[in-house]
Amino acid sequence: QNFPRRPSDLWVYMKLSAVVYGATACATKSLQYEGVTYVTKVVFKSAKLIPTMIVGVILDARAEKAGRIVQRREYGIWQYTSAFLLCLG
């Protein structure tokens, strides 16, 4: 049902894959620089969970306001607390 049906829809996924691949390559390349350790890379990678949750909620609210039917993401205080603790390590 969610699989792209047209080549133009598939193009969006191909661009997204290229961006994710590029981000991974850049993160791996950053390990060559002094002061950037593997632990630093992992901590910053795990910290992107909280902004992702917040942006998801904001985009769902905007889509709903625009009249589109979306399944709204709602996170409770325990989920935000768990995500924060996960990011702390």
Side-chain angles (χ1 to χ4, degrees), residues 15-86:
K15 289 191 295 187
L16 180 61
S17 296
V19 168
V20 169
Y21 178 78
T24 302
C26 288
T28 303
K29 184 79 172 161
S30 72
L31 294 174
Q32 294 178 352
Y33 296 102
E34 186 177 333
V36 179
T37 63
Y38 183 76
V39 174
T40 305
K41 175 188 163 195
V42 170
V43 168
F44 276 95
K45 189 171 183 173
S46 70
K48 69 181 178 182
L49 174 62
I50 293 174
T52 302
M53 291 171 70
I54 293 169
V55 168
V57 169
I58 291 170
L59 290 179
D60 283 351
R62 287 183 65 194
E64 191 175 73
K65 190 175 182 181
R68 286 182 263 155
I69 299 172
V70 293
Q71 182 179 359
R72 272 192 99 188
R73 292 177 189 93
E74 293 182 1
Y75 302 109
I77 188 69
W78 288 112
Q79 289 170 315
Y80 280 113
T81 304
S82 298
F84 181 71
L85 291 174
L86 179 71

